[in-house]
Amino acid sequence: MTQQLDFKAMGCRMRGVIDTEDAAPLLQSMPARIEEWEQILSRFRPDSELCELNQRAGIQVVVSQVLWDVFEASRLSEAETRGLVNPLTMDALIHAGYDRTFDELASGDVDTVVGSTAVPVPALQDVLSDPEQQTLKLPLGARLDFGGVAKGWVAQHAMMMLREYGPSLFSAGGDIAVSGLRGDGEPWEIGVEDPFHPGRYLRSLYLPSGAVATSGKDYRRWMHSGSLQHHIIDPRSGLPAETDVVTATVIAPDAILAEAFAKAILISGSEAGLVWLDHDERLAGLLLLENGMQVGSRRLIEYV
Amino acid sequence: MLNKSSVSTVVTGPTARTLVSKSRARTDVQWIISSVSIAITLGLWGLFASDAKKVAGVAAQVTIAPPDQAVATQPQVQTLLPGQVLLFEGTAPQPQVQPAQPQTIAPAKPRHKSGGGSSGPAASTGSSHP
């Protein structure tokens, strides 16, 4: 008997699913656990550990295990995506107008006193880290924002907690990790949302293991200085990415990689993105383009 | 006061002929010595100059004809390694990524039942939204 818990955290919807009968207490404990993680990782809470770290740029700071692990995940993402996923895009994001939670942005109260010039994005290698002391030292003027990497990490680690009790799935805002096949031996059915028709699915993917994540410029958009902005910053330009991809859905071995590659392929555009998906045997993907066309990578056939 | 013309007019007869003959013989000897000297000088010059020319020629050959250019003038069979580009002139062609052919996806068809007897997917993925 599948048990499921839906709740909201980190500014998005969360869903935990366990394919067993006696895991209700564990599911019920998940919101509190994720609240702990959010208190560490949120850039919207001034008293979060991340904000305190950002305020101490230039100083070596001892960080918690969670913050260290997510930083390592972001470093992995940066390396895997050749720098297209960079947790130091925060200033560029704020410059583009994403200077408050999306709920506040969506209310229409948007700051308009910002130029359209690019903000240079620092290199992640400029952050000095000491694994033994577990310390981080940000370069002056740099601030970390884990963004999607944090969601991928949360999905992966929440699923790893749930799987102790049985076949499980965890979704953090659409970043989904599964422990393996369901209790009946079948893969998990995952709906890929249609951004042009809310409430409908483009198609279903059948996930036997691993993870899937979607990155897009459909949600989290706002008008800023007379132009439509979105929250996917291209580190190469320091500006919101110019791409023909509306949403990129990527299947990968874990949710951190799935999230990272979804964002990287969205930034890259459909042509380079498909080449990337086809050349990396760990990946499969489905792209929705601005012209409405759905395009899949070669290995996507294994999941449909 | 005597001048040269007045002296020459004084010496006449056999004595004068003898003096002229000696003068001619001395001049001949001088010519012979000069000719021999010039011949020896030119001979030695030619000898050493030809050696120097040989050295300079070798040096010039080394400078003008480097080994790789010699390879170009004498074609040899080359085994190209994978990815190696053989250039004849101009700049190297820039690598171009051939875009994969877009694979348009057919309409979705359910192939499995959802878990737990419920209808619809276990979860959905989309651009993260509130």
Side-chain angles (χ1 to χ4, degrees):
Chain A
M1 184 70 178
T2 299
Q3 295 187 315
Q4 175 177 314
L5 179 68
D6 292 334
F7 58 99
K8 191 171 178 180
M10 301 179 74
C12 54
R13 295 189 305 236
M14 302 276 170
R15 171 173 289 185
V17 183
I18 302 184
D19 202 1
T20 186
E21 294 182 356
D22 55 354
L26 179 61
L27 275 177
Q28 293 294 341
S29 72
M30 292 309 296
R33 177 58 61 92
I34 290 174
E35 165 62 24
E36 290 176 13
W37 292 341
E38 185 172 4
Q39 183 58 33
I40 294 170
L41 302 171
S42 175
R43 79 168 169 96
F44 296 112
R45 297 182 180 184
D47 58 345
S48 71
E49 185 182 356
L50 178 66
C51 285
E52 290 179 1
L53 174 66
N54 284 336
Q55 289 166 3
R56 296 182 185 178
I59 301 172
Q60 197 168 10
V61 179
V62 178
V63 299
S64 66
Q65 186 66 48
V66 169
L67 187 58
W68 177 264
D69 288 348
V70 177
F71 176 75
E72 286 293 298
S74 67
R75 192 147 59 182
L76 170 72
S77 300
E78 196 263 355
E80 288 274 2
T81 61
R82 302 168 196 168
L84 287 181
V85 174
N86 184 332
L88 295 173
T89 57
M90 183 170 169
D91 285 338
L93 202 53
I94 291 173
H95 193 72
Y98 194 11
D99 55 354
R100 63 205 72 182
T101 67
F102 186 74
D103 288 339
E104 293 168 326
L105 278 174
S107 70
D109 181 20
V110 177
D111 182 8
T112 57
V113 190
V114 181
S116 58
T117 55
V119 173
V121 178
L124 188 55
Q125 290 79 6
D126 293 341
V127 178
L128 301 181
S129 60
D130 182 347
E132 292 185 359
Q133 302 294 323
Q134 210 160 281
T135 60
L136 296 176
K137 181 181 177 183
L138 304 183
L140 290 172
R143 289 183 288 179
L144 281 171
D145 174 21
F146 295 120
V149 174
K151 287 193 178 69
W153 184 89
V154 164
Q156 190 67 29
H157 283 258
M159 180 278 293
M160 290 165 65
M161 294 174 66
L162 296 179
R163 73 180 177 189
E164 300 294 326
Y165 289 80
S168 54
L169 171 153
F170 198 91
S171 170
D175 288 8
I176 299 168
V178 303
S179 62
L181 295 171
R182 296 182 327 209
D184 60 2
E186 293 289 337
W188 299 86
E189 182 181 357
I190 309 295
V192 179
E193 297 171 5
D194 183 349
F196 297 136
H197 303 92
R200 291 167 59 179
Y201 297 125
L202 293 171
R203 64 177 39 255
S204 286
L205 302 177
Y206 296 90
L207 203 60
S209 63
V212 60
T214 297
S215 189
K217 59 179 185 181
D218 52 331
Y219 292 98
R220 296 184 190 272
R221 293 194 295 185
W222 60 95
M223 289 299 294
H224 184 69
S225 297
S227 62
L228 194 62
Q229 304 283 338
H230 59 83
H231 72 294
I232 305 296
I233 297 293
D234 186 340
R236 299 169 297 187
S237 65
L239 293 169
E242 294 184 6
T243 171
D244 62 335
V245 179
V246 178
T247 61
T249 300
V250 172
I251 298 168
D254 65 59
I256 297 166
L257 284 179
E259 162 68 30
F261 279 110
K263 180 179 286 185
I265 286 164
L266 178 78
I267 293 172
S268 300
S270 60
E271 286 191 6
L274 283 171
V275 171
W276 206 336
L277 287 169
D278 286 339
H279 278 74
D280 193 328
E281 293 184 353
R282 300 171 299 173
L283 308 177
L286 172 67
L287 310 183
L288 177 65
L289 308 187
E290 284 182 330
N291 60 9
M293 182 186 290
Q294 297 178 46
V295 186
S297 70
R298 290 199 184 98
R299 278 178 288 276
L300 187 67
I301 194 74
E302 301 170 18
Y303 302 96
V304 296
Chain B
M1 187 172 180
L2 295 174
N3 55 21
K4 285 182 182 177
S5 59
S6 61
V7 170
S8 60
T9 54
V10 173
V11 181
T12 55
T15 304
R17 280 195 294 273
T18 304
L19 285 174
V20 171
S21 175
K22 283 182 179 177
S23 176
R24 282 180 183 168
R26 191 178 298 160
T27 303
D28 290 344
V29 169
Q30 285 177 345
W31 273 108
I32 291 168
I33 291 170
S34 297
S35 300
V36 169
S37 298
I38 290 170
I40 291 171
T41 302
L42 290 175
L44 292 174
W45 182 285
L47 179 68
F48 291 110
S50 60
D51 287 345
K53 194 182 290 181
K54 284 178 185 174
V55 173
V58 170
Q61 192 176 9
V62 170
T63 305
I64 293 170
D68 53 346
Q69 198 169 18
V71 170
T73 54
Q74 294 181 353
Q76 294 178 352
V77 176
Q78 288 187 341
T79 303
L80 290 179
L81 298 174
Q84 185 177 349
V85 179
L86 186 62
L87 291 179
F88 294 97
E89 61 178 0
T91 56
Q94 296 301 309
Q96 291 184 341
V97 176
Q98 293 294 327
Q101 290 297 320
Q103 184 180 354
T104 305
I105 302 300
K109 294 178 182 177
R111 75 172 181 179
H112 300 286
K113 291 180 180 178
S114 301
S118 62
S119 60
S124 64
T125 181
S127 179
S128 54
H129 51 86

